Amino acid sequence: MLTHVKNRIESIINNINQLPSIPEVASHVLNMVNNPDIDFKQVAAEISKDQALTTNLLKLCNSAYFSKGKEISSLDRAIVTLGIKEVKDAVLVIATRTVLDKVVMGYDLTKGMLWQHGVAVAMMAKKIAMLTGEKARADIAFTGGLIHDVGKTVLALFVQNVFKDIMNAVENQSLSFHSAEKEIMGFDHQEIGEKVLEKWKFPEILKDIVRFHHQPFESSETNRKMVSIVHIANSVCLMAGIGIGSDGLFHELSTEAIALTGLADVQLESLYSEIPELLNQTKDIV
Amino acid sequence: MKALINVGVAQIGFANQPSVLRTILGSCVGICIYDRMKKMGGMAHVLLPNKIGDGKDEKYADTAIPILINHLLKDGCKKEFMSAKIAGGASMFKFKSNISLGEIGSRNVQVAREILQKHGIPLMEEDVGGSIGRVLDFFMEDGRMKVKAAGEEKLFYKV
């Protein structure tokens, strides 16, 4: 373990101002939607507090992926036509773009790659949720998929400096990349991502998805299936090369996670083989 | 004019000297075929080994490679001057052997080799397997292939 690196990372995660931010409205909307008694007018009122976000949101709601062909001219229409959960997902897409759509040095991701990866994993996770009896929580799979790698944006510069040490730990100790990150730097990108979500005041289930997407069976039992869904979506997208970086495929594909979702081999292969069609859909959003 | 042409998942790209074809690979395989006399070539980025059902031909090694070869022949390339290089076919670092998805990388490599052989295109060099993600650049000026992976670059010159 490189103590000086660990100390520098610690000082960043303990200083909330050094972690990425998203518009406050996005966190409010996310938490409002979690409340089953919420009135959609209150959500619309909250969103409209942020004029820039509202403008971009209406544009996004009219994209092929979200609109499903219906013309949407106002926030109220968006919520009524698409549903409050879909609108929440669209709000999160807009809110997290500036955080995720950038060069991520140490992971060798050029501008746009981490963003495209997040959007692809979001769509894939939502698709898997629908296939595995989690229609009611498909929006959570989407949001979780979108932001699962947010910790990489904070850790990138450190990874760049110690990349050789991390790869040596991967090769000599047969560690997955995230375990090697922790071995060398004292933290992995999942833990840093969880800290970012704490700052954003995101709910526990999303924190669990971010914190355990490479090791779904260490998450709490209540959240384990959703974490597993994002774990599988991430694996399938990485295998197809979507957002693959210097950490490559040095990750584990969890048999237990697959068993928990009940996905059969042939379903997994078909999800993988439909990646080109899914990428076409991401074009609306990225 | 020298151009950098990105070849996406399940796409086939073609170029002339001095352009460069680029793709990014995980378990997929990039198949590069070059005509050393015409100094032109093409690259296929395949997801899966064999076509089953009614998927798009460009997704599968056994249907994409013939498209790639025939397009080059139509553009005036000759089989006796063509040669191939392949890269990709990585696998997840850890997975249990009962998950067939885990084997896709090596199956892609195996079938790509077989299909090239079946069509009489010599496979000169390959950089396959492992768990690395690869950025593959294929240069039309001399048919060389550059693989950037895990912070290192490798060059393959044989044509």
Side-chain angles (χ1 to χ4, degrees), chain A residues 108 113 163 167 170 174-176 235-236 238-242 244-256 258 265 268-269 272-277 279, chain B residues 9-11 24-28 45-48 56 59-60 90-96 98-102 104-105 107-108 131-134 148 150-152:
Chain A
D108 285 354
M113 280 177 80
F163 184 75
M167 276 317 287
V170 167
S174 190
L175 295 176
S176 293
S235 306
V236 170
L238 285 176
M239 284 180 65
I242 314 307
I244 197 167
S246 60
D247 52 342
L249 299 179
F250 290 104
H251 305 293
E252 180 169 1
L253 175 58
S254 161
T255 309
E256 292 81 5
I258 294 170
D265 257 4
L268 280 172
E269 273 196 37
Y272 171 80
S273 74
E274 285 157 17
I275 287 261
E277 288 77 12
L279 281 181
Chain B
V9 185
Q11 289 179 358
I24 301 176
L25 301 158
S27 296
C28 300
H45 177 144
V46 302
L47 268 167
L48 285 155
K56 199 174 139 218
K59 287 183 183 179
Y60 311 94
S91 303
M92 295 297 282
F93 194 45
K94 297 178 183 179
F95 65 94
K96 299 231 169 72
N98 58 354
I99 300 171
S100 73
L101 190 71
I104 278 182
R107 280 160 52 208
N108 280 337
S131 292
I132 47 176
R134 292 171 170 91
K148 195 178 164 212
E152 285 170 24

Side-chain angles (χ1 to χ4, degrees), chain B residues 3 15-18 30-31 41 66 85 96 110 117 123 128 139-140:
Chain B
N16 289 298
Q17 180 199 19
I31 299 118
K85 295 184 198 63
K96 299 231 169 72
Q110 196 51 43
Q117 193 184 23
L123 176 58
V128 297
F139 295 81
M140 293 307 125

Side-chain angles (χ1 to χ4, degrees), chain A residues 211-277:
Chain A
R211 173 70 183 81
F212 296 112
H213 64 271
H214 288 302
Q215 52 213 95
F217 268 65
E218 290 178 35
S219 67
S220 70
E221 218 177 321
T222 6
N223 297 336
R224 198 168 288 161
K225 189 169 175 195
M226 297 309 287
V227 180
S228 296
I229 286 171
V230 173
H231 168 81
I232 296 165
N234 184 39
S235 306
V236 170
C237 288
L238 285 176
M239 284 180 65
I242 314 307
I244 197 167
S246 60
D247 52 342
L249 299 179
F250 290 104
H251 305 293
E252 180 169 1
L253 175 58
S254 161
T255 309
E256 292 81 5
I258 294 170
L260 181 62
T261 60
L263 283 171
D265 257 4
V266 39
Q267 285 177 298
L268 280 172
E269 273 196 37
S270 115
L271 287 166
Y272 171 80
S273 74
E274 285 157 17
I275 287 261
E277 288 77 12

